[in-house]
Amino acid sequence: MPELPEVETTVRGLARHLAGQVLTHVETRRADLRRPFPPGLVQVLTGARVTGLARRAKYGLIHVDRDVTLIFHLGMSGRWRIDPDELGKHDHLVLETGSGHRLALCDPRRFGSVDLVDTAALAAWPAFAALGPEPLSDALAPAHLATALAGRSAAIKLMLLDQRIVAGLGNIYVCEALYRARIDPRRAAGTVSRAALGRLVPAIKAVLAEAIEAGGSTLRDYAQPDGELGYFAKQFDVYGREGEPCRSCSGTVRRIVQGGRSTWLCPNCQK
Ligand SMILES: [Zn+2]
């Protein structure tokens, strides 16, 4: 499932081909993904100029000069294809630009979504209105977490997955950040010390920034047709490494289940 770094890498890759471009052809090739495509999508976007791209949590934003923003979510299996040789049956939305590029949103499982929102009203869009701060912004600071987690008895791991506390964090990077900050994922959120929160915030920012950088280096190889944006191999410290040696001590990485999802941790290193 694409997480924040993959979405950020995707947005940066799309920006190379879309920023400043006029959308000369816009096509939906079925009626819906997880939800129907917005009515009027093709009419509103055709002939519009892309004024900029951005990311909010795990959503990609394509701003156009008609005061609207296309918001996409990659769901479980979504990805953008740049200049595919030919369109496939999972390419559900196609954008063509004045510079001759074709971008296809491919989503075999169709858990993704596309919305069209007034640019001036983005902050009030329901999926954005309740979001916590962006993890890579200065708004995510130890003081914010101390306030948000005070008195909370839920496990710190589950609280970090709550998008109202931090926007866009998913399972992989929460596991990795808690390991790097040496915090037990099972610890009641309200009992995590201020010193530990002081380690956690830079750990969150570092694991995300490293993943984005890894994606960016992969991106340089995307000259070939059918290049897919947003997926890259990354070495994780604990995620997916059950039974393998901890990289920091002589212990072994364990997998537990929290809130119905796997957590990987080193019980020696994380307290
Ligand atoms: Zn360890």
Side-chain angles (χ1 to χ4, degrees):
M1 185 189 307
E3 293 217 27
L4 186 154
E6 288 83 357
V7 179
E8 177 70 25
T9 305
T10 296
V11 166
R12 292 181 188 185
L14 288 174
R16 294 175 171 197
H17 299 287
L18 283 179
Q21 291 295 314
V22 170
L23 301 175
T24 51
H25 180 75
V26 178
E27 181 184 349
T28 51
R29 304 180 75 235
R30 56 173 293 121
D32 57 2
L33 297 177
R34 186 174 58 193
R35 302 190 288 275
F37 283 115
L41 177 80
V42 170
Q43 295 92 315
V44 170
L45 294 183
T46 302
R49 183 178 294 278
V50 175
T51 54
L53 289 90
R55 178 191 56 73
R56 176 73 168 120
K58 285 185 256 187
Y59 293 86
L61 281 63
I62 303 173
H63 305 299
V64 301
D65 63 357
R66 292 174 179 172
D67 300 326
V68 295
T69 295
L70 182 155
I71 303 174
F72 66 86
H73 193 286
L74 297 172
M76 302 286 286
S77 59
R79 63 191 190 276
W80 282 90
R81 303 205 303 147
I82 309 295
D83 294 332
D85 279 343
E86 47 189 79
L87 295 174
K89 67 174 178 176
H90 300 303
D91 293 324
H92 304 308
L93 171 67
V94 179
L95 308 177
E96 291 177 13
T97 69
S99 58
H101 288 289
R102 180 157 72 169
L103 305 141
L105 178 58
C106 173
D107 188 356
R109 295 179 67 183
R110 300 203 310 274
F111 283 105
S113 61
V114 168
D115 290 280
L116 208 53
V117 175
D118 288 346
T119 304
L122 276 175
W125 190 53
F128 289 172
L131 284 178
E134 282 291 320
L136 291 169
S137 77
D138 291 342
L140 179 64
H144 164 73
L145 286 184
T147 303
L149 303 178
R152 305 296 294 265
S153 57
I156 179 71
K157 194 263 177 133
L158 298 179
M159 298 302 294
L160 291 176
L161 289 174
D162 183 335
Q163 304 294 296
R164 294 168 296 186
I165 292 179
V166 186
L169 278 188
N171 200 32
I172 294 175
Y173 298 101
V174 167
C175 291
E176 293 292 298
L178 286 169
Y179 171 78
R180 202 173 288 204
R182 306 193 305 278
I183 298 168
D184 190 319
R186 298 163 290 192
R187 173 176 282 280
T191 70
V192 177
S193 71
R194 188 58 186 256
L197 293 179
R199 297 193 302 270
L200 178 59
V201 166
I204 290 170
K205 294 175 192 286
V207 296
L208 293 173
E210 288 166 19
I212 291 168
E213 193 177 338
S217 59
T218 307
L219 207 57
R220 285 194 278 277
D221 302 327
Y222 278 164
Q224 80 279 14
D226 273 21
E228 292 173 6
L229 294 180
Y231 288 82
F232 39 88
K234 171 85 176 74
Q235 278 281 9
F236 297 118
D237 284 332
V238 287
Y239 182 85
R241 295 189 63 240
E242 182 180 16
E244 295 180 37
C246 172
R247 299 198 207 279
S248 304
C249 76
S250 58
T252 301
V253 175
R254 273 189 60 200
R255 184 180 71 88
I256 60 174
V257 175
Q258 293 180 284
R261 301 180 70 185
S262 290
T263 300
W264 288 266
L265 73 155
C266 174
N268 282 350
C269 291
Q270 295 174 255
K271 302 296 182 192

PDB file of all heavy atoms in Angstrom, residues 87-117:
ATOM      1  N   LEU A  87      -2.449   1.932 -23.334  1.00  0.00           N
ATOM      2  CA  LEU A  87      -3.246   1.932 -22.117  1.00  0.00           C
ATOM      3  C   LEU A  87      -3.729   0.521 -21.815  1.00  0.00           C
ATOM      4  O   LEU A  87      -4.074  -0.233 -22.720  1.00  0.00           O
ATOM      5  CB  LEU A  87      -4.439   2.882 -22.275  1.00  0.00           C
ATOM      6  CG  LEU A  87      -4.052   4.362 -22.428  1.00  0.00           C
ATOM      7  CD1 LEU A  87      -5.294   5.191 -22.737  1.00  0.00           C
ATOM      8  CD2 LEU A  87      -3.348   4.872 -21.183  1.00  0.00           C
ATOM      9  N   GLY A  88      -3.753   0.180 -20.526  1.00  0.00           N
ATOM     10  CA  GLY A  88      -4.240  -1.125 -20.106  1.00  0.00           C
ATOM     11  C   GLY A  88      -5.617  -1.000 -19.469  1.00  0.00           C
ATOM     12  O   GLY A  88      -6.134   0.104 -19.276  1.00  0.00           O
ATOM     13  N   LYS A  89      -6.179  -2.154 -19.124  1.00  0.00           N
ATOM     14  CA  LYS A  89      -7.558  -2.130 -18.639  1.00  0.00           C
ATOM     15  C   LYS A  89      -7.668  -1.519 -17.240  1.00  0.00           C
ATOM     16  O   LYS A  89      -8.765  -1.196 -16.799  1.00  0.00           O
ATOM     17  CB  LYS A  89      -8.156  -3.537 -18.653  1.00  0.00           C
ATOM     18  CG  LYS A  89      -7.515  -4.501 -17.673  1.00  0.00           C
ATOM     19  CD  LYS A  89      -8.286  -5.833 -17.653  1.00  0.00           C
ATOM     20  CE  LYS A  89      -7.627  -6.820 -16.705  1.00  0.00           C
ATOM     21  NZ  LYS A  89      -8.410  -8.062 -16.599  1.00  0.00           N
ATOM     22  N   HIS A  90      -6.518  -1.374 -16.540  1.00  0.00           N
ATOM     23  CA  HIS A  90      -6.569  -0.767 -15.209  1.00  0.00           C
ATOM     24  C   HIS A  90      -6.212   0.712 -15.221  1.00  0.00           C
ATOM     25  O   HIS A  90      -6.107   1.332 -14.170  1.00  0.00           O
ATOM     26  CB  HIS A  90      -5.648  -1.526 -14.255  1.00  0.00           C
ATOM     27  CG  HIS A  90      -6.022  -2.967 -14.099  1.00  0.00           C
ATOM     28  ND1 HIS A  90      -7.279  -3.361 -13.674  1.00  0.00           N
ATOM     29  CD2 HIS A  90      -5.335  -4.108 -14.330  1.00  0.00           C
ATOM     30  CE1 HIS A  90      -7.334  -4.687 -13.647  1.00  0.00           C
ATOM     31  NE2 HIS A  90      -6.167  -5.166 -14.043  1.00  0.00           N
ATOM     32  N   ASP A  91      -5.964   1.272 -16.407  1.00  0.00           N
ATOM     33  CA  ASP A  91      -5.701   2.715 -16.515  1.00  0.00           C
ATOM     34  C   ASP A  91      -7.048   3.425 -16.592  1.00  0.00           C
ATOM     35  O   ASP A  91      -7.699   3.439 -17.633  1.00  0.00           O
ATOM     36  CB  ASP A  91      -4.866   3.009 -17.768  1.00  0.00           C
ATOM     37  CG  ASP A  91      -3.463   2.436 -17.664  1.00  0.00           C
ATOM     38  OD1 ASP A  91      -2.908   2.445 -16.553  1.00  0.00           O
ATOM     39  OD2 ASP A  91      -2.931   1.974 -18.691  1.00  0.00           O
ATOM     40  N   HIS A  92      -7.467   4.007 -15.458  1.00  0.00           N
ATOM     41  CA  HIS A  92      -8.852   4.476 -15.368  1.00  0.00           C
ATOM     42  C   HIS A  92      -9.002   5.968 -15.631  1.00  0.00           C
ATOM     43  O   HIS A  92     -10.090   6.431 -15.938  1.00  0.00           O
ATOM     44  CB  HIS A  92      -9.418   4.124 -13.991  1.00  0.00           C
ATOM     45  CG  HIS A  92      -9.333   2.667 -13.673  1.00  0.00           C
ATOM     46  ND1 HIS A  92      -9.810   1.695 -14.531  1.00  0.00           N
ATOM     47  CD2 HIS A  92      -8.799   2.000 -12.621  1.00  0.00           C
ATOM     48  CE1 HIS A  92      -9.597   0.490 -13.992  1.00  0.00           C
ATOM     49  NE2 HIS A  92      -8.968   0.658 -12.845  1.00  0.00           N
ATOM     50  N   LEU A  93      -7.937   6.731 -15.460  1.00  0.00           N
ATOM     51  CA  LEU A  93      -7.987   8.172 -15.730  1.00  0.00           C
ATOM     52  C   LEU A  93      -6.737   8.516 -16.527  1.00  0.00           C
ATOM     53  O   LEU A  93      -5.633   8.106 -16.152  1.00  0.00           O
ATOM     54  CB  LEU A  93      -8.014   8.967 -14.415  1.00  0.00           C
ATOM     55  CG  LEU A  93      -7.852  10.492 -14.534  1.00  0.00           C
ATOM     56  CD1 LEU A  93      -9.059  11.125 -15.230  1.00  0.00           C
ATOM     57  CD2 LEU A  93      -7.664  11.119 -13.148  1.00  0.00           C
ATOM     58  N   VAL A  94      -6.898   9.249 -17.612  1.00  0.00           N
ATOM     59  CA  VAL A  94      -5.774   9.584 -18.484  1.00  0.00           C
ATOM     60  C   VAL A  94      -5.728  11.098 -18.674  1.00  0.00           C
ATOM     61  O   VAL A  94      -6.757  11.728 -18.955  1.00  0.00           O
ATOM     62  CB  VAL A  94      -5.905   8.884 -19.859  1.00  0.00           C
ATOM     63  CG1 VAL A  94      -4.735   9.254 -20.767  1.00  0.00           C
ATOM     64  CG2 VAL A  94      -5.987   7.371 -19.675  1.00  0.00           C
ATOM     65  N   LEU A  95      -4.529  11.669 -18.485  1.00  0.00           N
ATOM     66  CA  LEU A  95      -4.310  13.093 -18.720  1.00  0.00           C
ATOM     67  C   LEU A  95      -3.253  13.230 -19.806  1.00  0.00           C
ATOM     68  O   LEU A  95      -2.205  12.582 -19.735  1.00  0.00           O
ATOM     69  CB  LEU A  95      -3.793  13.789 -17.439  1.00  0.00           C
ATOM     70  CG  LEU A  95      -4.580  13.595 -16.148  1.00  0.00           C
ATOM     71  CD1 LEU A  95      -3.860  14.301 -14.982  1.00  0.00           C
ATOM     72  CD2 LEU A  95      -6.003  14.130 -16.282  1.00  0.00           C
ATOM     73  N   GLU A  96      -3.517  14.062 -20.800  1.00  0.00           N
ATOM     74  CA  GLU A  96      -2.499  14.355 -21.808  1.00  0.00           C
ATOM     75  C   GLU A  96      -2.176  15.837 -21.748  1.00  0.00           C
ATOM     76  O   GLU A  96      -3.068  16.669 -21.524  1.00  0.00           O
ATOM     77  CB  GLU A  96      -2.986  13.953 -23.206  1.00  0.00           C
ATOM     78  CG  GLU A  96      -3.091  12.435 -23.351  1.00  0.00           C
ATOM     79  CD  GLU A  96      -3.636  11.976 -24.704  1.00  0.00           C
ATOM     80  OE1 GLU A  96      -3.714  12.817 -25.631  1.00  0.00           O
ATOM     81  OE2 GLU A  96      -3.995  10.790 -24.807  1.00  0.00           O
ATOM     82  N   THR A  97      -0.887  16.163 -21.971  1.00  0.00           N
ATOM     83  CA  THR A  97      -0.448  17.539 -21.799  1.00  0.00           C
ATOM     84  C   THR A  97      -0.031  18.151 -23.139  1.00  0.00           C
ATOM     85  O   THR A  97       0.264  17.437 -24.103  1.00  0.00           O
ATOM     86  CB  THR A  97       0.764  17.620 -20.852  1.00  0.00           C
ATOM     87  OG1 THR A  97       1.896  17.022 -21.505  1.00  0.00           O
ATOM     88  CG2 THR A  97       0.500  16.895 -19.554  1.00  0.00           C
ATOM     89  N   GLY A  98       0.044  19.472 -23.127  1.00  0.00           N
ATOM     90  CA  GLY A  98       0.452  20.195 -24.320  1.00  0.00           C
ATOM     91  C   GLY A  98       1.852  19.846 -24.774  1.00  0.00           C
ATOM     92  O   GLY A  98       2.194  20.011 -25.954  1.00  0.00           O
ATOM     93  N   SER A  99       2.685  19.358 -23.853  1.00  0.00           N
ATOM     94  CA  SER A  99       4.043  18.980 -24.236  1.00  0.00           C
ATOM     95  C   SER A  99       4.117  17.545 -24.750  1.00  0.00           C
ATOM     96  O   SER A  99       5.198  17.029 -25.028  1.00  0.00           O
ATOM     97  CB  SER A  99       4.992  19.152 -23.037  1.00  0.00           C
ATOM     98  OG  SER A  99       4.545  18.363 -21.959  1.00  0.00           O
ATOM     99  N   GLY A 100       2.962  16.895 -24.851  1.00  0.00           N
ATOM    100  CA  GLY A 100       2.917  15.586 -25.491  1.00  0.00           C
ATOM    101  C   GLY A 100       3.080  14.403 -24.564  1.00  0.00           C
ATOM    102  O   GLY A 100       3.288  13.275 -25.023  1.00  0.00           O
ATOM    103  N   HIS A 101       2.972  14.639 -23.254  1.00  0.00           N
ATOM    104  CA  HIS A 101       3.057  13.507 -22.327  1.00  0.00           C
ATOM    105  C   HIS A 101       1.659  12.972 -21.997  1.00  0.00           C
ATOM    106  O   HIS A 101       0.673  13.709 -22.013  1.00  0.00           O
ATOM    107  CB  HIS A 101       3.761  13.918 -21.037  1.00  0.00           C
ATOM    108  CG  HIS A 101       5.232  14.126 -21.223  1.00  0.00           C
ATOM    109  ND1 HIS A 101       6.102  13.084 -21.432  1.00  0.00           N
ATOM    110  CD2 HIS A 101       5.961  15.260 -21.264  1.00  0.00           C
ATOM    111  CE1 HIS A 101       7.322  13.555 -21.577  1.00  0.00           C
ATOM    112  NE2 HIS A 101       7.278  14.875 -21.491  1.00  0.00           N
ATOM    113  N   ARG A 102       1.634  11.680 -21.706  1.00  0.00           N
ATOM    114  CA  ARG A 102       0.387  11.032 -21.308  1.00  0.00           C
ATOM    115  C   ARG A 102       0.595  10.382 -19.945  1.00  0.00           C
ATOM    116  O   ARG A 102       1.552   9.630 -19.739  1.00  0.00           O
ATOM    117  CB  ARG A 102      -0.021   9.985 -22.343  1.00  0.00           C
ATOM    118  CG  ARG A 102      -1.313   9.289 -21.975  1.00  0.00           C
ATOM    119  CD  ARG A 102      -1.993   8.695 -23.195  1.00  0.00           C
ATOM    120  NE  ARG A 102      -1.270   7.529 -23.677  1.00  0.00           N
ATOM    121  CZ  ARG A 102      -1.745   6.690 -24.595  1.00  0.00           C
ATOM    122  NH1 ARG A 102      -2.925   6.904 -25.145  1.00  0.00           N
ATOM    123  NH2 ARG A 102      -1.042   5.658 -24.983  1.00  0.00           N
ATOM    124  N   LEU A 103      -0.294  10.684 -19.008  1.00  0.00           N
ATOM    125  CA  LEU A 103      -0.191  10.170 -17.646  1.00  0.00           C
ATOM    126  C   LEU A 103      -1.457   9.384 -17.345  1.00  0.00           C
ATOM    127  O   LEU A 103      -2.563   9.892 -17.544  1.00  0.00           O
ATOM    128  CB  LEU A 103      -0.056  11.346 -16.669  1.00  0.00           C
ATOM    129  CG  LEU A 103       1.107  12.269 -17.032  1.00  0.00           C
ATOM    130  CD1 LEU A 103       0.758  13.715 -16.806  1.00  0.00           C
ATOM    131  CD2 LEU A 103       2.332  11.904 -16.252  1.00  0.00           C
ATOM    132  N   ALA A 104      -1.269   8.158 -16.880  1.00  0.00           N
ATOM    133  CA  ALA A 104      -2.422   7.289 -16.640  1.00  0.00           C
ATOM    134  C   ALA A 104      -2.455   6.856 -15.184  1.00  0.00           C
ATOM    135  O   ALA A 104      -1.460   6.367 -14.648  1.00  0.00           O
ATOM    136  CB  ALA A 104      -2.353   6.062 -17.553  1.00  0.00           C
ATOM    137  N   LEU A 105      -3.593   7.043 -14.547  1.00  0.00           N
ATOM    138  CA  LEU A 105      -3.788   6.557 -13.182  1.00  0.00           C
ATOM    139  C   LEU A 105      -4.297   5.128 -13.271  1.00  0.00           C
ATOM    140  O   LEU A 105      -5.423   4.875 -13.717  1.00  0.00           O
ATOM    141  CB  LEU A 105      -4.794   7.443 -12.429  1.00  0.00           C
ATOM    142  CG  LEU A 105      -5.126   7.016 -10.991  1.00  0.00           C
ATOM    143  CD1 LEU A 105      -3.881   6.941 -10.115  1.00  0.00           C
ATOM    144  CD2 LEU A 105      -6.150   7.957 -10.380  1.00  0.00           C
ATOM    145  N   CYS A 106      -3.436   4.218 -12.851  1.00  0.00           N
ATOM    146  CA  CYS A 106      -3.694   2.781 -12.954  1.00  0.00           C
ATOM    147  C   CYS A 106      -4.017   2.258 -11.565  1.00  0.00           C
ATOM    148  O   CYS A 106      -3.278   2.532 -10.613  1.00  0.00           O
ATOM    149  CB  CYS A 106      -2.420   2.112 -13.505  1.00  0.00           C
ATOM    150  SG  CYS A 106      -2.470   0.319 -13.521  1.00  0.00           S
ATOM    151  N   ASP A 107      -5.125   1.567 -11.413  1.00  0.00           N
ATOM    152  CA  ASP A 107      -5.528   1.113 -10.073  1.00  0.00           C
ATOM    153  C   ASP A 107      -6.306  -0.195 -10.185  1.00  0.00           C
ATOM    154  O   ASP A 107      -7.542  -0.208 -10.209  1.00  0.00           O
ATOM    155  CB  ASP A 107      -6.367   2.203  -9.387  1.00  0.00           C
ATOM    156  CG  ASP A 107      -6.649   1.877  -7.924  1.00  0.00           C
ATOM    157  OD1 ASP A 107      -6.263   0.780  -7.456  1.00  0.00           O
ATOM    158  OD2 ASP A 107      -7.262   2.711  -7.247  1.00  0.00           O
ATOM    159  N   PRO A 108      -5.582  -1.327 -10.215  1.00  0.00           N
ATOM    160  CA  PRO A 108      -6.252  -2.621 -10.437  1.00  0.00           C
ATOM    161  C   PRO A 108      -7.332  -2.930  -9.398  1.00  0.00           C
ATOM    162  O   PRO A 108      -8.384  -3.468  -9.739  1.00  0.00           O
ATOM    163  CB  PRO A 108      -5.103  -3.635 -10.336  1.00  0.00           C
ATOM    164  CG  PRO A 108      -3.867  -2.849 -10.650  1.00  0.00           C
ATOM    165  CD  PRO A 108      -4.128  -1.452 -10.147  1.00  0.00           C
ATOM    166  N   ARG A 109      -7.084  -2.599  -8.140  1.00  0.00           N
ATOM    167  CA  ARG A 109      -8.062  -2.988  -7.119  1.00  0.00           C
ATOM    168  C   ARG A 109      -9.108  -1.898  -6.873  1.00  0.00           C
ATOM    169  O   ARG A 109     -10.089  -2.132  -6.182  1.00  0.00           O
ATOM    170  CB  ARG A 109      -7.328  -3.340  -5.820  1.00  0.00           C
ATOM    171  CG  ARG A 109      -6.444  -4.584  -6.013  1.00  0.00           C
ATOM    172  CD  ARG A 109      -5.682  -4.937  -4.754  1.00  0.00           C
ATOM    173  NE  ARG A 109      -6.582  -5.372  -3.688  1.00  0.00           N
ATOM    174  CZ  ARG A 109      -6.173  -5.691  -2.468  1.00  0.00           C
ATOM    175  NH1 ARG A 109      -4.880  -5.620  -2.169  1.00  0.00           N
ATOM    176  NH2 ARG A 109      -7.036  -6.067  -1.546  1.00  0.00           N
ATOM    177  N   ARG A 110      -8.865  -0.704  -7.385  1.00  0.00           N
ATOM    178  CA  ARG A 110      -9.833   0.401  -7.324  1.00  0.00           C
ATOM    179  C   ARG A 110     -10.245   0.758  -5.898  1.00  0.00           C
ATOM    180  O   ARG A 110     -11.406   1.030  -5.623  1.00  0.00           O
ATOM    181  CB  ARG A 110     -11.056   0.100  -8.189  1.00  0.00           C
ATOM    182  CG  ARG A 110     -10.733  -0.103  -9.664  1.00  0.00           C
ATOM    183  CD  ARG A 110     -11.928   0.143 -10.550  1.00  0.00           C
ATOM    184  NE  ARG A 110     -13.120  -0.571 -10.123  1.00  0.00           N
ATOM    185  CZ  ARG A 110     -13.409  -1.823 -10.479  1.00  0.00           C
ATOM    186  NH1 ARG A 110     -12.593  -2.491 -11.276  1.00  0.00           N
ATOM    187  NH2 ARG A 110     -14.502  -2.393 -10.042  1.00  0.00           N
ATOM    188  N   PHE A 111      -9.267   0.779  -4.975  1.00  0.00           N
ATOM    189  CA  PHE A 111      -9.525   1.345  -3.658  1.00  0.00           C
ATOM    190  C   PHE A 111      -9.129   2.823  -3.619  1.00  0.00           C
ATOM    191  O   PHE A 111      -9.273   3.479  -2.599  1.00  0.00           O
ATOM    192  CB  PHE A 111      -8.758   0.584  -2.565  1.00  0.00           C
ATOM    193  CG  PHE A 111      -9.380  -0.728  -2.204  1.00  0.00           C
ATOM    194  CD1 PHE A 111      -8.828  -1.920  -2.632  1.00  0.00           C
ATOM    195  CD2 PHE A 111     -10.537  -0.769  -1.429  1.00  0.00           C
ATOM    196  CE1 PHE A 111      -9.410  -3.143  -2.304  1.00  0.00           C
ATOM    197  CE2 PHE A 111     -11.123  -1.976  -1.088  1.00  0.00           C
ATOM    198  CZ  PHE A 111     -10.552  -3.174  -1.519  1.00  0.00           C
ATOM    199  N   GLY A 112      -8.579   3.309  -4.708  1.00  0.00           N
ATOM    200  CA  GLY A 112      -8.191   4.703  -4.778  1.00  0.00           C
ATOM    201  C   GLY A 112      -9.389   5.604  -5.026  1.00  0.00           C
ATOM    202  O   GLY A 112     -10.531   5.149  -5.134  1.00  0.00           O
ATOM    203  N   SER A 113      -9.113   6.912  -5.096  1.00  0.00           N
ATOM    204  CA  SER A 113     -10.207   7.854  -5.320  1.00  0.00           C
ATOM    205  C   SER A 113      -9.689   9.076  -6.055  1.00  0.00           C
ATOM    206  O   SER A 113      -8.502   9.385  -6.025  1.00  0.00           O
ATOM    207  CB  SER A 113     -10.839   8.279  -3.981  1.00  0.00           C
ATOM    208  OG  SER A 113      -9.880   8.912  -3.161  1.00  0.00           O
ATOM    209  N   VAL A 114     -10.607   9.749  -6.740  1.00  0.00           N
ATOM    210  CA  VAL A 114     -10.329  11.024  -7.403  1.00  0.00           C
ATOM    211  C   VAL A 114     -11.466  11.973  -7.047  1.00  0.00           C
ATOM    212  O   VAL A 114     -12.632  11.606  -7.159  1.00  0.00           O
ATOM    213  CB  VAL A 114     -10.238  10.852  -8.937  1.00  0.00           C
ATOM    214  CG1 VAL A 114     -10.239  12.209  -9.638  1.00  0.00           C
ATOM    215  CG2 VAL A 114      -8.991  10.054  -9.313  1.00  0.00           C
ATOM    216  N   ASP A 115     -11.110  13.149  -6.570  1.00  0.00           N
ATOM    217  CA  ASP A 115     -12.110  14.157  -6.228  1.00  0.00           C
ATOM    218  C   ASP A 115     -11.719  15.485  -6.843  1.00  0.00           C
ATOM    219  O   ASP A 115     -10.553  15.711  -7.174  1.00  0.00           O
ATOM    220  CB  ASP A 115     -12.216  14.299  -4.696  1.00  0.00           C
ATOM    221  CG  ASP A 115     -12.848  13.076  -4.061  1.00  0.00           C
ATOM    222  OD1 ASP A 115     -14.082  12.960  -4.099  1.00  0.00           O
ATOM    223  OD2 ASP A 115     -12.092  12.218  -3.555  1.00  0.00           O
ATOM    224  N   LEU A 116     -12.700  16.344  -6.994  1.00  0.00           N
ATOM    225  CA  LEU A 116     -12.488  17.684  -7.530  1.00  0.00           C
ATOM    226  C   LEU A 116     -13.041  18.649  -6.491  1.00  0.00           C
ATOM    227  O   LEU A 116     -14.220  18.569  -6.135  1.00  0.00           O
ATOM    228  CB  LEU A 116     -13.253  17.810  -8.857  1.00  0.00           C
ATOM    229  CG  LEU A 116     -12.773  18.760  -9.927  1.00  0.00           C
ATOM    230  CD1 LEU A 116     -11.307  18.516 -10.272  1.00  0.00           C
ATOM    231  CD2 LEU A 116     -13.637  18.603 -11.170  1.00  0.00           C
ATOM    232  N   VAL A 117     -12.188  19.524  -5.965  1.00  0.00           N
ATOM    233  CA  VAL A 117     -12.581  20.389  -4.849  1.00  0.00           C
ATOM    234  C   VAL A 117     -12.192  21.824  -5.178  1.00  0.00           C
ATOM    235  O   VAL A 117     -11.135  22.061  -5.787  1.00  0.00           O
ATOM    236  CB  VAL A 117     -11.877  19.914  -3.548  1.00  0.00           C
ATOM    237  CG1 VAL A 117     -12.164  20.861  -2.394  1.00  0.00           C
ATOM    238  CG2 VAL A 117     -12.319  18.500  -3.187  1.00  0.00           C
TER     239      VAL A 117
END
